[in-house]
Amino acid sequence: MKITFTPNAKTNLNLKIKTILAAIVITSSFCSVAEIISSKQVIKDITYLASDDLKGRASFSPEIDQAANYIAQRFKDIGLKPLKNKSFLQPFTVHKIQPQTQNVVLNHKKISREDIAIATTIENIDWQNSNAQVHIVGKDDDMRKTLSELNQQGGQHLVVIHNTHAKIFKAYQNYFTRGLTKLSLEHPGALVLVLSDEDKVENYAINASVTITQQSLTNVVGILPGRQSAKEIVLYSSHYDHLGITEDGKQIYNGADDDASGTTAVLNLAQYYAEKGNNKRTLMFSAFTAEEIGGFGSKYFSQQLNPDNVVAMINIEMIGKPSKFGAGTLWMTGMERSNLGTLLNDKLVVLNRKIYQDPYPEQGLFYRSDNATLARLGVPAHSFSSTQLDKDQHYHKVTDDISSLDLSSMHQVIETLATATQALVDGSATPTRIDKTQVRVKGKIY
């Protein structure tokens, strides 16, 4: 490369030299990524994680344990260390809540079971014209908003809902009937929904019960200790659970894109940085369980460390198919909440690549993956994806198998993430924190 400077350009000398050096460093870095992150290993990982043998990796299934063991073995082979020097497998328990009896009398009228929906973390409800706060959702009121606010508030509530909201009511009823899963029961509360045109509640009697049992789940976490700033953590994460099999047991939700693709990225980024061996900050690699049923893996994980020590969270979610911006490109959720996207794009500009802003803001994707849990604690936690949710015919379908993926595009995305996050790894970039007061609070009841 030949460069000629004129007298008028002397003031720009330092800037031009810095730009050239940055180009050399970034290009060199990108080449090394291509050599170390082999497509062969990427294909091997995702082929296993999305295989029929794992039967869709449903929470609480034997097959999800097989997936966890595979990830743990990969972490061990890579040379990572387990969290708190215990085990790569981090088991924990959750509470499964299954509805049993439901009896409601409103204004001296017995309500049909079809018009009752109950979400509760209280084992037995016995309300007799007291205990509960009473709310009326009229035909012109926003039912979803009301329930969301009461859920965030917690406590005990009787909600009488006008029949104009019958369709939405049925959706809530179906959801509550399947039962709830809670990491903790520290905030006991109940929502009793009654579909009725009554516009005033003069008296009520409610008797309901649920059974509460405990079941085990497992995260898989590996650590590459930092060489200088060991207390500062860069977290790479994904969820490795999916939906299991169909009710008739004849078909499998393989979850190749959702999220075997992200988990494959975490594994191969771990291998890449372990082989480089020069990370100044501690790198943590986590495969979360139970994202599909409420994000319980990330909730438990967030209690195992000080969130103030987490510099950034790179949550990788569905990168198996090209984005609307082209093959090998990706976008991130909540880009406006921190300057992480800007810092990552600074590393990609010379390669003429960029990470785009979430093109589907109406989907609320910032809250639909494990990053939201850490964001609520102030961590610059974002999800990185390439999925086209507005067009994807395979999302949460049995057709989300490896044949539906573009593995070349996926491999390129993983390389892009390795290059983009290098400044986080070497300690030269620190993103701004997320304002946790501006992150929607998680519900306390359901």
Side-chain angles (χ1 to χ4, degrees):
M1 180 185 296
K2 183 178 180 180
I3 303 172
T4 302
F5 295 104
T6 65
N8 292 334
K10 287 182 179 179
T11 56
N12 295 323
L13 177 59
N14 289 337
L15 177 62
K16 290 185 177 182
I17 291 175
K18 288 179 180 179
T19 302
I20 295 165
L21 290 175
I24 293 171
V25 169
I26 292 175
T27 303
S28 175
S29 173
F30 179 71
C31 291
S32 66
V33 171
E35 293 170 357
I36 296 174
I37 298 182
S38 74
S39 58
K40 182 178 180 180
Q41 185 62 57
V42 167
I43 293 172
K44 180 179 179 181
D45 288 332
I46 195 166
T47 299
Y48 178 77
L49 292 170
S51 68
D52 285 351
D53 289 344
L54 295 187
K55 297 182 180 178
R57 310 182 307 280
S59 295
F60 313 115
S61 70
E63 289 77 22
I64 197 172
D65 292 336
Q66 294 177 34
N69 290 334
Y70 177 87
I71 297 166
Q73 186 62 48
R74 283 280 283 127
F75 282 170
K76 181 179 179 181
D77 293 343
I78 287 167
L80 303 187
K81 295 184 177 180
L83 181 64
K84 297 180 180 179
N85 294 317
K86 293 183 179 179
S87 169
F88 293 113
L89 301 174
Q90 297 283 307
F92 61 97
T93 58
V94 293
H95 304 271
K96 292 282 289 181
I97 305 171
Q98 199 65 41
Q100 299 298 320
T101 60
Q102 295 183 354
N103 297 295
V104 176
V105 175
L106 182 65
N107 294 342
H108 301 294
K109 299 176 184 176
K110 184 174 177 59
I111 305 299
S112 169
R113 182 73 176 262
E114 295 180 354
D115 295 327
I116 302 171
I118 298 179
T120 177
T121 60
I122 302 171
E123 198 163 5
N124 292 287
I125 296 174
D126 185 11
W127 297 346
Q128 303 289 334
N129 297 322
S130 62
N131 303 105
Q133 298 181 45
V134 178
H135 312 268
I136 305 292
V137 177
K139 62 180 180 180
D140 297 322
D141 294 330
D142 189 332
M143 174 183 167
R144 292 185 188 275
K145 181 180 178 181
T146 298
L147 296 183
S148 177
E149 291 174 349
L150 295 178
N151 186 31
Q152 292 178 23
Q153 176 184 331
Q156 303 180 49
H157 305 275
L158 169 61
V159 188
V160 180
I161 300 169
H162 194 274
N163 273 287
T164 54
H165 303 289
K167 184 176 181 180
I168 302 176
F169 171 86
K170 289 296 181 184
Y172 277 88
Q173 184 185 57
N174 290 336
Y175 174 58
F176 295 158
T177 299
R178 291 197 297 268
L180 303 178
T181 303
K182 300 291 289 184
L183 182 61
S184 166
L185 300 178
E186 63 179 334
H187 298 293
L191 275 172
V192 177
L193 314 185
V194 177
L195 191 64
S196 170
D197 288 342
E198 297 280 353
D199 58 5
K200 183 185 295 185
V201 176
E202 297 178 351
N203 57 77
Y204 62 87
I206 300 173
N207 297 100
S209 65
V210 297
T211 58
I212 302 177
T213 57
Q214 288 190 339
Q215 287 186 273
S216 180
L217 291 167
T218 303
N219 287 331
V220 193
V221 184
I223 298 173
L224 194 61
R227 293 179 175 269
Q228 292 183 17
S229 304
K231 289 186 178 181
E232 298 178 6
I233 299 168
V234 179
L235 171 62
Y236 295 87
S237 66
S238 65
H239 71 91
Y240 73 102
D241 64 303
H242 197 53
L243 304 178
I245 59 177
T246 56
E247 290 186 8
D248 61 11
K250 295 181 179 180
Q251 292 181 292
I252 298 172
Y253 294 98
N254 295 98
D257 198 17
D258 186 14
D259 189 26
S261 66
T263 303
T264 296
V266 168
L267 290 172
N268 285 274
L269 287 169
Q271 184 167 337
Y272 167 65
Y273 285 115
E275 291 182 359
K276 286 191 71 172
N278 60 357
N279 54 296
K280 292 183 179 179
R281 285 175 167 148
T282 291
L283 307 186
M284 192 172 291
F285 303 90
S286 184
F288 295 129
T289 187
E291 188 268 357
E292 297 286 3
I293 61 171
F296 299 106
S298 56
K299 290 176 188 175
Y300 174 77
F301 171 85
S302 69
Q303 299 171 4
Q304 308 309 304
L305 74 172
N306 183 350
D308 294 339
N309 293 336
V310 182
V311 173
M313 177 184 188
I314 309 298
N315 187 56
I316 309 170
E317 175 80 77
M318 299 178 66
I319 58 167
K321 294 187 284 290
S323 81
K324 65 179 294 181
F325 305 107
T329 63
L330 71 160
W331 45 265
M332 66 180 283
T333 62
M335 183 176 276
E336 72 285 355
R337 294 177 182 268
S338 79
N339 70 342
L340 177 60
T342 299
L343 296 178
L344 300 184
N345 280 332
D346 285 346
K347 293 293 290 183
L348 295 174
V349 65
V350 180
L351 297 177
N352 197 28
R353 295 186 185 187
K354 67 179 292 186
I355 295 171
Y356 295 84
Q357 188 167 354
D358 175 9
Y360 313 106
E362 72 284 353
Q363 296 268 7
L365 298 175
F366 182 78
Y367 292 101
R368 288 172 57 182
S369 193
D370 290 307
N371 65 286
T373 296
L374 277 294
R376 291 187 179 99
L377 302 175
V379 177
H382 304 262
S383 288
F384 295 78
S385 182
S386 67
T387 185
Q388 298 187 53
L389 272 183
D390 58 338
K391 297 180 180 179
D392 193 344
Q393 301 299 311
H394 306 289
Y395 176 66
H396 280 195
K397 300 289 194 304
V398 295
T399 53
D400 179 13
D401 56 27
I402 197 166
S403 67
S404 71
L405 304 186
D406 183 331
L407 296 178
S408 175
S409 175
M410 176 180 140
H411 181 248
Q412 188 175 344
V413 165
I414 299 172
E415 292 183 349
T416 297
L417 282 171
T419 301
T421 59
Q422 181 59 48
L424 301 176
V425 173
D426 64 26
S428 62
T430 301
T432 55
R433 306 293 287 180
I434 282 182
D435 184 351
K436 53 189 176 184
T437 66
Q438 299 301 311
V439 182
R440 189 172 69 228
V441 178
K442 189 71 174 177
K444 294 180 179 178
I445 302 173
Y446 64 86

